[in-house]
Amino acid sequence: RERADAILLAASDGPALVDAVNAAVEQGVEVMTFDSDVPNSKRFAFYGADDADLGEKVARDLSTLLAGKGEVAILAGNAAANNLRARSDAVRRTLARSPEVEVLGVVNHPETPQEAAAEMIKFDAAHPRLAGWALVGGWPLFRSSQSPALMSEIQKRGLKIVAVDALPEQLVYVERGLVPILWAQPVYDWGAVGVSTIVDKVLLKKTVPSSVHMELIRVTKDTLRPYAHRLHSWGFSVPQEYLAP
């Protein structure tokens, strides 16, 4: 075939991508986005988290862990990503309601585990009274050469951390009490819901919503094992100890 009938796109922000999506649609290719939207384009649907709501969830949990008091920072990834900006902005707005919580900064960085963890450690060193972090993505919680130093830093400083995403490598932080709360996106459904929505739209000619809401999963020590079983059912390799009854 010369072209596809539909595209499922993990999007990021920017005029060039809007133009690319619109060009595809104008050529008769239906476009659906997931994870990060291109809201000003001609895409027919988006599936993902409500990023403002997700940022609020992270902020509320962090404020609770801090008992409503302390200096915090936001680890925010790529400054140009509209989904990450929406989460970060929501964290700031929500924490502003707690008069004794002060946001010292928003830390942007290349989205690799190594560089994210290094930025956290660097910011910690410059702010000795820092009490907590809101991670709008879980980049530093993946294994890298910085992982032992980051774990030691969190434990030594007693930092309170809430993070987005809960993939198998990140679960150790919950198990050890270093990151008490992860907000998981059911990433398996990016494909499952995306494909089923495209089938409804393109093949079955159904009317589909322009935004399909993703239900998030709050992962704590109490819910770690049931969530690990869900990851396993999606095909992820999960450490066996998390799958034990």
Side-chain angles (χ1 to χ4, degrees), residues 79-155:
N82 61 339
N83 61 335
L84 301 179
R85 285 201 313 271
R87 295 175 198 174
S88 178
D89 290 347
V91 170
R92 290 183 70 100
R93 286 195 305 270
T94 304
L95 290 178
R97 300 173 198 150
S98 300
E100 295 187 80
V101 175
E102 181 183 0
V103 178
L104 298 183
V106 176
V107 180
N108 296 109
H109 56 89
E111 293 174 18
T112 68
Q114 178 83 6
E115 295 190 69
E119 288 297 325
M120 285 184 69
I121 294 169
K122 178 181 175 182
F123 196 91
D124 287 349
H127 300 87
R129 295 175 55 191
L130 190 75
W133 280 92
L135 312 184
V136 302
W139 313 280
L141 308 184
F142 288 101
R143 280 192 294 271
S144 75
S145 63
Q146 293 283 350
S147 296
L150 180 62
M151 287 185 171
S152 175
E153 177 80 0
I154 295 169
Q155 191 166 36

Side-chain angles (χ1 to χ4, degrees), residues 24-35:
V25 174
E26 287 160 9
Q27 291 295 316
V29 180
E30 298 285 2
V31 178
M32 178 176 175
T33 59
F34 69 94
D35 186 25

Side-chain angles (χ1 to χ4, degrees), residues 31-33 37-39 41 43-48 197 201 207-213:
V31 178
M32 178 176 175
T33 59
D37 197 9
V38 189
S41 72
R43 60 87 173 138
F44 74 88
F46 164 68
Y47 174 63
T197 304
K201 168 76 172 177
T207 300
V208 301
S210 61
S211 182
V212 183
H213 180 64

